[in-house]
Amino acid sequence: MKSPTNSPIAENLLWYALVAGLALVLALLALLQYRSTRLVSDATTEHLRSSLQDSLMDLRQGVGQELKPLCSEFQLDAGIPRNSASQEYIHRLERWRRTAAHPGLIAEVLVARSLDADEPELLGLNENLHRATPAKWTRELVPLRAWMRKSLLQSLGYAGATATLDATDSTAPRPTSASSATHPISPWLIDESIPALVHAEIETDRDAKGKTVASIAWIVMRLDLRVLGRKVLPELVQRNFGRESESAYRIAVISLGESTGPIYSSDGSFQGSDLISDASVNLFGRPEFLNREKRPPADPPSGTGAKIPLPLSYDPAGSRTQILKSDEDGPVHIDPIHYGDNDPNWHILAQHRQGSVEAAVASSYHRSLAINFGVLFLLGITMTLIIANSRRSRRLAQLQVDFVAGVSHELRTPLTGIVAAAQNIADGVVDDKPRIARYGNAILTQAQQLTDLVEQILLFSATQKNAHRYHLQLVDVQTILDGCIKTSSTLTKPAGISVQRTIQPALPQILVDPKALSQCLQNLITNAVKYSGASRWIGLEAATAADPMRGSEVTIAVEDRGLGMQPEELLHIFKPFYRSPEVTAAQIHGNGLGLPLTKSMVEAMGGRLTVSSRPKEGSRFTIHLPIPRNGSQPSPAPLSAGNANS
Ligand code: ADP
């Protein structure tokens, strides 16, 4: 019996509202998830780009740090006596080479003097001979020579290449206020076409009158590109980006200009020549990237007694940032010398291995979106399952309540009959023998009904636990059917129901448990009688049929022309304890176990149970059983553990 408190429509509406509400929450979550994932990926792109830029800056500074000891060795002195200058330079160079991480980085050091003269002097510092030897102005040095000459003339402001120093100080001029440790050095420059570091030194000499005159000497340090590209840069890249093979980025240092070419590449496939990169920065120059807090004072301390030569294209405002004190922690800053628009310009390029930072972030964005939506999808499925399960549990609980009510009702009817008949006998109301016998029979019939009911419940319980044992044997369908018709005559006869039996001649034997099959047919016949309505007819039909999937089979159909069922009821009638609302309302006795029991027993014998029904027209239940091939045993559906085949 259904609880009258909640109407099924109201309950269904409640469930639908709950499902719609949860779906809405899920959709909202999905939207939030989508938006936050996008925000996170945008922030990640931003972060990756800026940290990549930082790493490039670190790499750039690393190059400056690498050159710093060399620059410190050659920091501007207030004036080196010219006659001992070359030895002094060689001495400095040797000192640097002894402690340098990559002493081979400087391939050759040249000293250029007398640049205003017609034949400027060029000397090579020979570390082996410990003296300077004349060198040639080779082709790549010619533009530098012209630049140095112009730069010198402009910086000194007059045609002479020498400046007269303070005559009162006859010794070499020294800094007057600052200690030598804080003494400024002149800017460091690089000619990226040679390539060579370029730096000016002040040398002093005595003129004919014995006065000290200062002149400028240019130190040109030729860089070894192989040491730079194969040792210095790989180490710096590894320090800033991790191992080349494991790094998320490919790094290249290229020379841009008339002829573009790689100086270094962390990955052979990335030459940077197409200039497609996630970040790039000049290797030299770009003073705006220097840490402003650590900038030296705007003007160099005075008192050197000589002007610091400034390169021709050097911006005097920017030059302030170029001057480095020897006690500063920062890397030395080196500016490229500009000759024209097609100057080579060294750049560091970085590209993400997935093509670009955007591509890498997009792929992780799509991945996390898929994971998030997957989780939401699973959540949706789980929620649906929970709702479905909870609905099922409620339905099951309702069915069980109905079952208990139905069984109680089933028990009460025969018990009432038994009690009444027994009471009459006990009270002596019935004293003649024939009536006592009639009462006894009534008690027996009712008790038999009780026994059948209990048996059915026990059998159902056994089939549910797979504990029922089947004894399969070859039997005649006709024999079984006749037995069932005879047994059910106690039902059909009093109800005035005619039973029509149609059996196809020469039916093959089937391999079944005869008792179980009889029980199944009995259940179907009982239902046909119970639900036959006003019609007083039931039909039994046995025949052979050929199923395209299963082969030949014997079908035994039990048909009635009674109440019939709605199509949606057919989905439930094989579920335990289900009874249609119509039959419950009509108080037709039953417990909802007959059909589930019949179905599981038929399937355990390798067959199946089908139904066709139309409301108010009747129903037809058919048991399909396979015909054993050549009398051999058919292959039944998996039998329960307790099944025994004969
Ligand atoms: P019971 O008959 O004890 O209620 P069953 O499991 O045998 O339990 O049947 C389940 C339900 O299927 C019945 O309550 C009834 O609603 C429906 N049903 C079964 N057989 C028929 C039939 N021949 N005609 C109409 N409805 C039927």
Side-chain angles (χ1 to χ4, degrees):
M1 316 287 146
K2 285 233 157 96
S3 149
T5 46
N6 287 336
S7 84
I9 297 176
E11 197 184 309
N12 276 345
L13 276 179
L14 196 77
W15 281 114
Y16 290 142
L18 185 68
V19 170
L22 285 174
L24 200 74
V25 170
L26 274 183
L28 238 133
L29 274 177
L31 188 74
L32 286 176
Q33 194 76 263
Y34 173 78
R35 292 179 67 171
S36 68
T37 312
R38 177 146 282 294
L39 282 178
V40 166
S41 85
D42 287 351
T44 309
T45 309
E46 200 62 31
H47 170 75
L48 282 181
R49 280 201 169 280
S50 83
S51 67
L52 177 60
Q53 194 71 43
D54 287 350
S55 300
L56 286 194
M57 286 307 297
D58 290 346
L59 177 57
R60 208 180 97 105
Q61 289 204 345
V63 175
Q65 287 285 14
E66 187 76 28
L67 296 170
K68 187 180 174 183
L70 180 70
C71 299
S72 298
E73 278 294 347
F74 281 84
Q75 66 179 315
L76 185 69
D77 207 314
I80 308 165
R82 180 175 255 202
N83 51 12
S84 62
S86 295
Q87 272 74 24
E88 170 65 15
Y89 300 145
I90 291 172
H91 186 58
R92 289 178 185 186
L93 193 61
E94 283 175 342
R95 237 181 7 227
W96 171 74
R97 283 208 207 275
R98 273 200 295 276
T99 54
H102 301 102
L105 183 58
I106 301 299
E108 179 188 26
V109 178
L110 301 165
V111 181
R113 294 193 182 109
S114 314
L115 283 150
D116 54 335
D118 290 341
E119 286 293 325
E121 179 186 336
L122 185 69
L123 299 172
L125 298 184
N126 191 321
E127 291 163 72
N128 294 333
L129 301 176
H130 219 266
R131 65 185 171 84
T133 51
K136 280 216 166 87
W137 288 100
T138 48
R139 205 160 49 87
E140 72 274 14
L141 292 173
V142 172
L144 178 65
R145 183 178 60 185
W147 178 87
M148 288 191 295
R149 187 197 288 263
K150 276 169 84 177
S151 168
L152 179 76
L153 297 177
Q154 185 177 349
S155 65
L156 292 181
Y158 58 90
T162 57
T164 308
L165 293 177
D166 186 356
T168 56
D169 182 8
S170 57
T171 58
R174 308 305 310 171
T176 52
S177 56
S179 74
S180 62
T182 58
H183 195 76
I185 59 168
S186 73
W188 280 85
L189 304 161
I190 185 163
D191 181 322
E192 289 166 330
S193 56
I194 299 174
L197 292 173
V198 179
H199 167 68
E201 287 282 351
I202 296 173
E203 293 178 354
T204 57
D205 209 352
R206 302 249 175 210
D207 64 7
K209 295 175 192 161
K211 277 194 172 180
T212 303
V213 288
S215 59
I216 289 170
W218 291 93
I219 315 292
V220 179
M221 300 175 174
R222 209 190 274 270
L223 292 171
D224 189 329
L225 271 185
R226 277 176 313 172
V227 176
L228 184 69
R230 292 183 196 170
K231 290 188 178 157
V232 180
L233 289 172
E235 277 177 29
L236 289 172
V237 167
Q238 184 163 337
R239 200 181 305 154
N240 289 287
F241 292 89
R243 280 165 159 240
E244 288 179 354
S245 54
E246 290 162 16
S247 166
Y249 294 98
R250 296 184 291 189
I251 312 293
V253 176
I254 62 162
S255 169
L256 281 179
E258 210 160 5
S259 58
T260 297
I263 295 165
Y264 160 79
S265 172
S266 67
D267 176 336
S269 63
F270 182 57
Q271 300 289 318
S273 42
D274 49 6
L275 296 182
I276 296 172
S277 63
D278 288 309
S280 74
V281 68
N282 280 4
L283 190 54
F284 297 109
R286 303 277 296 269
E288 68 266 24
F289 292 112
L290 278 179
N291 184 350
R292 288 166 193 277
E293 315 248 304
K294 287 200 167 183
R295 279 179 184 175
D299 293 311
S302 58
T304 57
K307 273 191 170 184
I308 293 171
L310 298 178
L312 186 65
S313 63
Y314 205 72
D315 169 21
S319 71
R320 292 177 189 152
T321 62
Q322 315 300 315
I323 298 167
L324 183 81
K325 285 181 178 178
S326 59
D327 61 347
E328 282 225 43
D329 294 334
V332 67
H333 190 83
I334 300 169
D335 253 0
I337 297 172
H338 294 297
Y339 299 109
D341 288 343
N342 280 331
D343 288 347
N345 208 336
W346 289 4
H347 282 260
I348 318 171
L349 306 179
Q351 188 187 55
H352 200 281
R353 284 195 188 274
Q354 290 189 30
S356 68
V357 167
E358 276 79 8
V361 173
S363 97
S364 88
Y365 164 73
H366 287 128
R367 210 172 28 244
S368 60
L369 214 58
I371 291 171
N372 289 342
F373 282 166
V375 169
L376 281 182
F377 180 70
L378 275 183
L379 195 68
I381 297 261
T382 313
M383 273 162 42
T384 313
L385 285 178
I386 289 173
I387 290 173
N389 205 34
S390 128
R391 286 199 69 177
R392 198 167 158 265
S393 305
R394 278 176 68 92
R395 212 166 39 230
L396 209 65
Q398 186 61 50
L399 286 173
Q400 281 169 345
V401 168
D402 290 351
F403 169 72
V404 171
V407 167
S408 310
H409 187 257
E410 294 287 295
L411 288 173
R412 201 169 51 195
T413 315
L415 275 178
T416 313
I418 290 169
V419 169
Q423 189 72 53
N424 284 346
I425 294 169
D427 291 350
V429 178
V430 190
D431 46 5
D432 57 316
K433 267 192 169 180
R435 284 182 70 197
I436 290 176
R438 225 174 48 239
Y439 271 75
N441 274 334
I443 291 172
L444 205 66
T445 313
Q446 304 286 9
Q448 189 57 50
Q449 261 190 41
L450 280 180
T451 312
D452 288 350
L453 178 63
V454 171
E455 281 295 323
Q456 195 175 39
I457 293 170
L458 288 176
L459 186 59
F460 176 74
S461 158
T463 55
Q464 291 302 296
K465 287 191 275 180
N466 284 341
H468 185 67
R469 298 179 74 82
Y470 296 86
H471 302 280
L472 302 186
Q473 52 188 271
L474 285 169
V475 292
D476 270 331
V477 177
Q478 185 166 346
T479 316
I480 299 271
L481 267 186
D482 287 344
C484 288
I485 291 170
K486 199 171 162 202
T487 314
S488 53
S489 61
T490 51
L491 278 178
T492 51
K493 268 201 184 136
I497 290 175
S498 70
V499 179
Q500 185 181 334
R501 194 195 74 159
T502 317
I503 297 176
Q504 185 185 304
L507 266 185
Q509 285 194 314
I510 48 173
L511 190 68
V512 289
D513 180 328
K515 221 173 135 198
L517 182 60
S518 302
Q519 173 82 56
C520 294
L521 286 168
Q522 208 63 58
N523 286 349
L524 296 179
I525 294 170
T526 306
N527 279 356
V529 173
K530 276 199 296 185
Y531 307 119
S532 63
S535 120
R536 306 283 86 197
W537 176 92
I538 64 170
L540 297 177
E541 193 182 323
T544 53
D547 184 275
M549 303 288 287
R550 298 174 180 85
S552 309
E553 52 188 23
V554 167
T555 58
I556 310 168
V558 180
E559 195 176 347
D560 67 72
R561 294 171 184 161
L563 304 179
M565 287 172 278
Q566 300 288 344
E568 59 270 20
E569 278 183 65
L570 298 180
L571 300 173
H572 304 295
I573 56 173
F574 296 111
K575 292 175 186 166
F577 312 123
Y578 176 82
R579 305 207 71 218
S580 84
E582 196 186 337
V583 303
T584 313
Q587 296 204 341
I588 301 174
H589 73 90
N591 50 37
L593 288 181
L595 286 182
L597 191 58
T598 305
K599 184 171 184 285
S600 58
M601 289 205 298
V602 168
E603 284 173 0
M605 291 186 288
R608 64 201 162 97
L609 177 63
T610 58
V611 61
S612 63
S613 181
R614 291 171 85 103
K616 302 205 171 26
E617 285 186 20
S619 311
R620 182 184 170 95
F621 287 87
T622 310
I623 294 173
H624 304 250
L625 290 161
I627 299 171
R629 285 190 203 102
N630 305 326
S632 66
Q633 187 179 320
S635 53
L639 291 181
S640 58
N643 286 349
N645 302 332
S646 60

